Amino acid sequence: MAYRRTPAVQARLDAQREAVLQAAVGLLAERGYGGCSMAAVAERAGIATGSMYRHFAGKAELSVELFRRVVTREVAAVHEAVARHDTPLPRIAAVVETFAARALRAPRLAHALLVEPADTVVDAERLVFRRTFRDVIAVEIAAALADGRLPPQDPQLTAAAIVGAVAEALTGPLAAAPPPDTRSTPDTVVPALVTFTLRALGEIGETR
């Protein structure tokens, strides 16, 4: 007869897995993927390294789950920011503003999400991450086009270009902690990225 976990045993395993992921998020924010070895995460979570393998086959699987955990939080923050506005252009500005501001407040974590060398499975998740933000922006571009607020353009293509440009523009400031000068502070970088985005769309417009 096959062994079946009791509800109490499953609850303990679920709690341990959650503790592991929380520990991994903390390490990722401090040290990046390089500091998220199975042993390091186990030590931070207060469990034996061997116990990690009850939950994850190895570092690659842990890294994917860790990436998804953090990205889900970032996507939720962007959707909340978008929902606070009623028209397309302010919504697009909110996407860029929220994404960039949160990245610059947690530069080590954002650097890991965006550009730090990692397993190929993480690179695949990064593509999904970028497409998610692209799609959020593309929906609003299409709405602005329907309202006659923007010149003709391909919403998906423009949105992809914006996401790529914003990520590239953040690479330098995220790698410099603390910022080397006032040009790379959140108070200067974020408004500049919002302005760039609205200009790229073809209209400055009201952003609030």
Side-chain angles (χ1 to χ4, degrees), residues 91-162:
R91 285 175 173 242
I92 294 169
V95 173
V96 174
E97 182 178 43
T98 303
F99 176 78
R102 288 175 65 86
L104 291 167
R105 284 199 298 269
R108 190 67 189 85
L109 181 61
H111 187 266
L113 292 179
L114 293 173
V115 297
E116 181 184 350
D119 292 299
T120 55
V121 289
V122 173
D123 287 335
E125 291 296 319
R126 282 178 175 145
L127 289 177
V128 176
F129 178 41
R130 288 195 177 209
R131 288 169 185 159
T132 298
F133 280 97
R134 177 204 66 189
D135 291 346
V136 172
I137 294 173
V139 166
E140 301 304 332
I141 292 174
L145 286 168
D147 289 344
R149 297 292 305 276
L150 295 175
Q153 56 193 284
D154 181 332
Q156 290 274 321
L157 181 60
T158 301
I162 288 170

Side-chain angles (χ1 to χ4, degrees), residues 104 107 172-189:
L104 291 167
L174 292 178
D181 56 47
T182 57
R183 291 172 296 178
S184 295
T185 64
D187 287 345
T188 56
V189 172

Side-chain angles (χ1 to χ4, degrees), residues 1-197:
M1 182 175 177
Y3 169 74
R4 300 178 67 177
R5 291 172 180 164
T6 66
V9 169
Q10 188 61 55
R12 285 197 297 272
L13 288 172
D14 291 345
Q16 187 178 78
R17 189 177 191 277
E18 181 61 25
V20 165
L21 285 170
Q22 289 183 8
V25 169
L27 282 173
L28 185 67
E30 295 169 14
R31 308 177 192 174
Y33 282 110
C36 289
S37 67
M38 297 289 273
V41 174
E43 182 180 6
R44 175 67 64 92
I47 64 174
T49 301
S51 296
M52 292 284 293
Y53 294 92
R54 295 178 181 173
H55 309 288
F56 304 100
K59 184 180 177 181
E61 186 175 314
L62 171 63
S63 295
V64 167
E65 186 64 25
L66 175 57
F67 185 92
R68 289 172 180 169
R69 167 68 64 96
V70 177
V71 163
T72 297
R73 186 174 66 193
E74 298 306 306
V75 171
V78 164
H79 280 299
E80 289 173 7
V82 167
R84 289 194 287 269
H85 300 275
D86 297 324
T87 55
L89 292 179
R91 285 175 173 242
I92 294 169
V95 173
V96 174
E97 182 178 43
T98 303
F99 176 78
R102 288 175 65 86
L104 291 167
R105 284 199 298 269
R108 190 67 189 85
L109 181 61
H111 187 266
L113 292 179
L114 293 173
V115 297
E116 181 184 350
D119 292 299
T120 55
V121 289
V122 173
D123 287 335
E125 291 296 319
R126 282 178 175 145
L127 289 177
V128 176
F129 178 41
R130 288 195 177 209
R131 288 169 185 159
T132 298
F133 280 97
R134 177 204 66 189
D135 291 346
V136 172
I137 294 173
V139 166
E140 301 304 332
I141 292 174
L145 286 168
D147 289 344
R149 297 292 305 276
L150 295 175
Q153 56 193 284
D154 181 332
Q156 290 274 321
L157 181 60
T158 301
I162 288 170
V163 170
V166 169
E168 179 63 25
L170 286 172
T171 298
L174 292 178
D181 56 47
T182 57
R183 291 172 296 178
S184 295
T185 64
D187 287 345
T188 56
V189 172
V190 175
L193 287 175
V194 170
T195 298
F196 162 80
T197 297

